[in-house]
Amino acid sequence: MSVTTEAFRAGRRLLAFLLPPACLACERLEGCESLPLGLCRACRGRLRRLAAEACAGCGRGLVAAGLPAGYLCGGCRRRRLPYRRLLAGWSYEPPLDAVIRGLKFGGLYYLGAQLASALHESFATQLAAVDLVVPVPLHWRRRLARGYDQAEEIARPLAALAGLPCRRVLRRRRATPPQARRDRKDRLANLRHAFCVKGRQQETPTVQGRRVLLVDDVFTTGATLEAAARALRRAGAAAVLGLAAGRTPDGPAAPGRDPARRFDRPFGNRI
């Protein structure tokens, strides 16, 4: 961690101590106590879990009951997914979108640990079948500009809670354009061969024959997860399990402003 990043985090801790926190979603002040996930009690109650009956590959809700474990919808069966299944904490809609924006664009890196704690509570059984935790990486230039990688901020504390190693074994070969507002076909083309396992002689044995939990912040079309999982499988991973804090609801995303714009001022607009 750079000196600049550590100074930034120290400044955040000082401001959090001096100023009362506000809910990321409704901006209501909640006194001096910290807010789990940056949300007030009312907004936390609005977080929506995914449907119990869903495709194991893409998380899409299915109109069926009593589906066998690992059931895949027709689309996922045709694509021959490189990962075994998707785990996702919540539907990516208000108020979860405010939490993820704060983590990605607002410098609220501590939300990663809070998301990790909630995800561990939900998926402890599935994590017991994993050998290694790997975050989906940002390109190094984007990571340098942001000061941290939001997927890693979730993956590291999650691995610690599960008693698992966490390794940054994946690398983005190129800085891909943003995926927002691209359809699945464009996203797949954008990410083709974008990931590889870095330092093959040193890192491949870390992946070889192991069951890997691949962690990202949001699952939208699955293009990023698929591209990263294929790189791990090519390097010899025995199986890949995907995990995301949020899954985008089915259907096209609603148009809106650039999600980073809300946090374009120093320290954002809240702690």
Side-chain angles (χ1 to χ4, degrees), residues 24 35 37-38 98-100 102-103 108-116 154:
L24 290 171
L35 300 180
L37 298 180
V99 180
I100 299 299
L103 172 62
L108 307 183
Y109 60 89
Y110 57 83
L111 292 173
Q114 295 184 11
L115 288 166
I154 299 172

Side-chain angles (χ1 to χ4, degrees), residues 58 94 108 113 149 166 172 265:
C58 66
L108 307 183
D149 184 327
C166 181
R172 281 192 187 246
R265 297 186 296 279

Side-chain angles (χ1 to χ4, degrees), residues 2 5 135-150 152 168 170-176 194-196 198:
S2 68
T5 301
V136 173
L138 292 174
H139 187 265
W140 69 267
R141 286 199 295 267
R142 190 168 295 171
R143 179 187 174 95
L144 183 64
R146 191 169 295 175
Y148 59 93
D149 184 327
Q150 71 273 2
E152 188 177 343
R168 290 173 54 196
L170 283 174
R171 177 173 67 87
R172 281 192 187 246
R173 286 182 166 132
R174 50 191 169 82
T176 54
F195 296 98
C196 66
K198 60 184 180 182

Side-chain angles (χ1 to χ4, degrees), residues 130-225:
V130 170
D131 304 313
L132 176 68
V133 177
V134 173
V136 173
L138 292 174
H139 187 265
W140 69 267
R141 286 199 295 267
R142 190 168 295 171
R143 179 187 174 95
L144 183 64
R146 191 169 295 175
Y148 59 93
D149 184 327
Q150 71 273 2
E152 188 177 343
E153 294 295 331
I154 299 172
R156 287 203 177 278
L158 180 65
L161 288 169
L164 295 167
C166 181
R167 301 284 185 268
R168 290 173 54 196
V169 300
L170 283 174
R171 177 173 67 87
R172 281 192 187 246
R173 286 182 166 132
R174 50 191 169 82
T176 54
Q179 293 280 75
R181 295 177 177 80
R182 292 173 180 264
D183 61 21
R184 175 176 170 78
K185 181 179 179 181
D186 286 344
R187 286 170 181 253
L188 287 170
N190 189 32
L191 289 166
R192 188 168 292 120
H193 305 303
F195 296 98
C196 66
V197 171
K198 60 184 180 182
R200 296 190 63 86
Q201 295 301 317
Q202 295 77 27
E203 298 290 354
T204 298
T206 302
V207 174
Q208 187 76 38
R210 306 185 82 175
R211 298 165 297 179
V212 179
L213 180 73
L214 184 58
V215 178
D216 206 357
D217 56 339
V218 177
F219 178 101
T220 302
T221 65
T224 300
L225 188 66

